[in-house]
Amino acid sequence: MEETKEHKIVSFKTYIIILFLLISHTALSVFVTQIDLGNLSVIVALSIAALKSLLVFSFFMHLLYDKRMYAFMVAGVLMVMTLVLIITFLDYGF
Amino acid sequence: MTENNTHDHYDHEGSKLGMWLFIFTELLFFGGLFIVYAVMRYKNGTAFGLAAEELDVSIGAINTVILLVSSATIAMSISSIQLKKTKLTLILLATTLILAIVFLVNKYFEWGAKIEHGLYPGSESLEQLGHGEVLFFGLYYFMTGLHALHIIIGIIFIAVMMVKVKNGKLNVNRFVQLENAGLYWHLVDVIWIFLFPLFYLIA
């Protein structure tokens, strides 16, 4: 049986643009953390990392083009991780 | 496809779903380690900050760029196999493979320099630095080491894909294995995207 459903072919141009964004955000995060912002630099560095991984998930891993189910499942896993992080910190900080 | 194909089961969507489920276990695996890091850092903030300054930001940044480019090349190889450009697919996969090896070479020199300075788990000079530093370098070696193990597995995975593309086992009609190799490689990339700021940048 042949697969009849067409798979989306993502253009090289899209990948190059995303790569450019990823590299420029890496440079930005290096630059920002060289300035002394105290605890703010942790938040900035991790926000940039989160944005970069969002780009990788959406474009490189095709979550944007594949069935919605995959995106929902990834979101679910990330929610579980966040929940465990919060529950762990209930024992330590807050 | 006809009778010679009766034992040849192919389910693109099912294969991809299976790969994603594996990726979720990997995310939770590393996620657990990131939570350990978060708690340790919360308890030993100053020591972690000082220890992080020992790491070379430029090597970390170069390795980040290497992995990002390799992620883009393997993603492009999936487009090119769909466009029936076998040669281009192989070139892109070879580029990914070479970049992965360069990443490991950098890692080798980075670890080597640290070990030469006596900064490795259980070393005398590390014991003298204090509890927080011991934790930082313990996590550093464990997490980047586990990540490097994933890179090595990725290299084998990509090499096998190259052979399969070359002998036509993977082609425009069936390329889900290549897609899965791509997913795995992007996962390795995403993990590094978080390891880099946590160990190198936040000092």
Side-chain angles (χ1 to χ4, degrees):
Chain A
M1 279 221 304
E2 283 289 290
E3 179 104 1
T4 43
K5 191 176 154 282
E6 280 289 312
H7 291 282
K8 161 107 183 153
I9 301 176
V10 185
S11 72
F12 282 18
K13 201 178 146 196
T14 309
Y15 286 138
I16 299 286
I17 292 168
I18 299 303
L19 177 62
F20 174 76
L21 285 173
L22 287 169
I23 292 175
S24 51
H25 278 85
T26 306
L28 180 70
S29 68
V30 172
F31 177 72
V32 169
T33 46
Q34 300 298 317
I35 316 164
D36 190 15
L37 296 170
N39 278 335
L40 199 64
S41 65
V42 179
I43 297 163
V44 173
L46 287 181
S47 306
I48 293 173
L51 184 68
K52 280 162 71 184
S53 54
L54 185 69
L55 287 175
V56 173
F57 273 118
S58 310
F59 292 93
F60 286 177
M61 295 173 97
H62 291 186
L63 283 186
L64 215 56
Y65 314 110
D66 271 338
K67 286 186 179 147
R68 270 291 156 80
M69 169 185 77
Y70 294 107
F72 280 123
M73 290 196 315
V74 172
V77 170
L78 295 181
M79 271 162 64
V80 169
M81 265 163 65
T82 314
L83 213 59
V84 176
L85 181 70
I86 292 169
I87 294 167
T88 309
F89 266 93
L90 288 178
D91 271 355
Y92 286 93
F94 310 147
Chain B
M1 297 239 172
T2 47
E3 68 277 359
N4 62 350
N5 230 13
T6 38
H7 297 294
D8 195 9
H9 179 70
Y10 180 64
D11 179 357
H12 190 107
E13 205 64 43
S15 301
K16 198 155 68 180
L17 181 59
M19 193 65 201
W20 269 109
L21 291 177
F22 169 67
I23 283 172
F24 294 153
T25 68
E26 291 274 82
L27 282 175
L28 292 172
F29 181 27
F30 275 95
L33 289 168
F34 281 121
I35 291 170
V36 171
Y37 174 94
V39 171
M40 296 306 183
R41 187 177 185 105
Y42 182 76
K43 304 284 271 183
N44 308 280
T46 328
F48 266 52
L50 286 172
E53 287 191 2
E54 293 286 326
L55 298 186
D56 190 340
V57 176
S58 49
I59 292 193
I62 289 166
N63 264 352
T64 308
V65 173
I66 287 171
L67 272 196
L68 291 174
V69 175
S70 75
S71 247
T73 53
I74 200 166
M76 287 195 265
S77 81
I78 294 157
S79 293
S80 71
I81 201 170
Q82 287 173 283
L83 296 166
K84 297 183 186 170
K85 293 177 180 163
T86 310
K87 201 170 174 192
L88 184 61
T89 309
L90 284 169
I91 292 170
L92 287 164
L93 285 174
T95 314
T96 312
L97 201 70
I98 291 163
L99 289 169
I101 292 166
V102 173
F103 179 94
L104 280 185
V105 170
N106 279 344
K107 195 95 252 162
Y108 170 79
F109 283 116
E110 195 192 2
W111 273 29
K114 286 279 149 313
I115 290 166
E116 218 164 274
H117 285 103
L119 291 170
Y120 55 89
S123 78
E124 268 177 41
S125 46
L126 190 57
E127 301 277 308
Q128 283 164 5
L129 283 174
H131 188 56
E133 277 86 353
V134 172
L135 285 173
F136 179 89
F137 280 103
L139 282 169
Y140 164 74
Y141 278 107
F142 188 67
M143 291 176 82
T144 60
L146 195 63
H147 181 263
L149 179 67
H150 280 76
I151 299 264
I152 293 167
I153 295 166
I155 288 172
I156 298 164
F157 201 168
I158 293 164
V160 172
M161 291 307 109
M162 284 181 73
V163 173
K164 287 194 167 190
V165 170
K166 193 150 184 12
N167 64 23
K169 284 242 172 67
L170 296 179
N171 53 52
V172 65
N173 290 318
R174 44 193 309 161
F175 54 88
V176 70
Q177 276 187 9
L178 184 61
E179 239 185 319
N180 287 346
L183 285 176
Y184 177 83
W185 195 250
H186 300 313
L187 165 84
V188 172
D189 190 22
V190 165
I191 292 163
W192 184 260
I193 285 175
F194 283 95
L195 287 178
F196 173 58
L198 288 177
F199 284 105
Y200 294 81
L201 290 183
I202 307 169

